Amino acid sequence: MSTGLGFGQAFPADLVPELRWHLERFAQPGERGLVFVGPKGAPLRRSNFRPIWAKACTAAGVPGLHFHDLRHTGGTLAAATGATLKELMARLGHSSARAAMIYQHATRDRDQVIANALGGLARQARADAVQPESADNA
C-alpha cells in the first residue's frame, strides 16, 4: 500500500553522472522537461510504452524485465544496506509494514555481512572474557 508520498528521498551522489548522461541524451531540455519521451519526442503513453520498454530492455541485455522490477530492485538494494523497516516504508512510500517486507529478501551478500558481524561479536566476547585473566596474571 502506498502513501502517495513517493518524492523527496535522498539520491545517491554516486549516480549523478549516469543520470546526467541520460538527461543530456534522452530527456527533454529544461527543468520541466520529460525524463522519458517517446520516439517522436512526445510523452510516453500506455499504448506505446510496452514495445519501447521491451526494445530498450533487449538492447540493454535484460529482455523480459518488467518496469516495476526496477522499483523492486531499488527496494531490495535499500534493504541490503541495512535500512530498517521504517526507513524502507518511508523511502518506498508504504503505509504498511507488510508491503515493505516484500523488499527484505535474504540475499547471500547480506547473509555474509550478518555472519561476519556475528563472528565479530563472538571474537569481541572472547577477547573480553580473556582480558581479566591476563590482567590478573600480569
Side-chain angles (χ1 to χ4, degrees), residues 74-119:
T76 301
L77 291 173
T81 69
T84 66
L85 189 55
K86 275 289 197 191
E87 290 166 334
L88 287 175
M89 288 172 64
R91 187 158 192 90
L92 297 166
H94 290 150
S95 60
S96 77
R98 183 174 182 217
M101 288 293 292
I102 292 168
Y103 301 97
Q104 290 196 317
H105 299 290
T107 64
R108 284 195 183 126
D109 290 344
R110 187 71 186 142
D111 191 44
Q112 189 60 56
V113 169
I114 293 167
N116 292 344
L118 289 170

Side-chain angles (χ1 to χ4, degrees), residues 9-49:
Q9 291 86 10
F11 186 82
D14 293 318
L15 297 180
V16 170
E18 286 83 0
L19 180 60
R20 187 171 286 125
W21 183 90
H22 172 84
L23 293 174
E24 289 169 355
R25 286 161 183 81
F26 303 107
Q28 289 179 334
E31 288 185 24
R32 296 247 182 231
L34 297 174
V35 176
F36 299 100
V37 295
K40 297 179 183 176
L44 292 173
R45 295 190 173 103
R46 283 183 190 240
S47 60
N48 67 2
F49 178 78

